[in-house]
Amino acid sequence: LREMGIVYAQLESSGYNLPVTEVYCQYFLPAKYDDIILVETRIDYLRRSILKFDYLIWDEGRKKTLTEGYTIHIFTNDDGKIVRAPKTVAEKIV
C-alpha cells in the first residue's frame, strides 16, 4: 500500500480500519533463524469493502519459494461497521 501512496496510519486517522477476516498459508520449505527472506506482496483484488493480498515468501536468492498465502481484509469505520473502501484508495488500486 505504501508503494501506491497509501499510508495505513492515515487511513486509521481518517476513520478507516482493515481488520483481517481470513488467512491462508501453505508452507513449502522452512526458513531458519538468521535466514534472510524476501516477502513479495501484491493486491489480488478490491471489491467494494474487501481487499485481498497475495504473498510469496522466498529465500534470499529468490530461488526457492518457502511459503505462499493470502489475507483478506474488510474496510470498517471506527465503530466496526463494514464500509466501502475510500474512493482515494480505490482509485489507486484499481
Side-chain angles (χ1 to χ4, degrees):
L1 290 177
R2 187 175 295 273
E3 284 183 10
M4 301 171 92
I6 302 167
V7 179
Y8 188 75
Q10 290 175 343
L11 276 176
E12 282 188 333
S13 67
S14 298
Y16 293 95
N17 299 290
L18 272 174
V20 176
T21 60
E22 186 176 333
V23 175
Y24 169 80
C25 184
Q26 183 171 5
Y27 296 97
F28 302 115
L29 295 167
K32 299 182 177 121
Y33 288 108
D34 291 325
D35 283 356
I36 295 179
I37 60 171
L38 304 171
V39 179
E40 179 182 320
T41 306
R42 72 174 186 86
I43 295 173
D44 186 13
Y45 61 77
L46 171 63
R47 296 185 186 140
R48 297 180 64 156
S49 61
I50 301 170
L51 183 59
K52 181 182 177 198
F53 292 99
D54 288 329
Y55 306 93
L56 286 173
I57 300 177
W58 304 84
D59 67 326
E60 182 178 13
R62 203 179 186 118
K63 295 177 182 166
K64 300 176 198 167
T65 302
L66 307 177
T67 306
E68 69 179 16
Y70 66 83
T71 56
I72 296 178
H73 305 253
I74 57 169
F75 282 90
T76 63
N77 63 19
D78 285 336
D79 295 325
K81 181 181 175 187
I82 297 171
V83 296
R84 281 183 180 261
K87 188 175 183 178
T88 55
V89 170
E91 289 171 347
K92 291 179 180 180
I93 291 175
V94 177

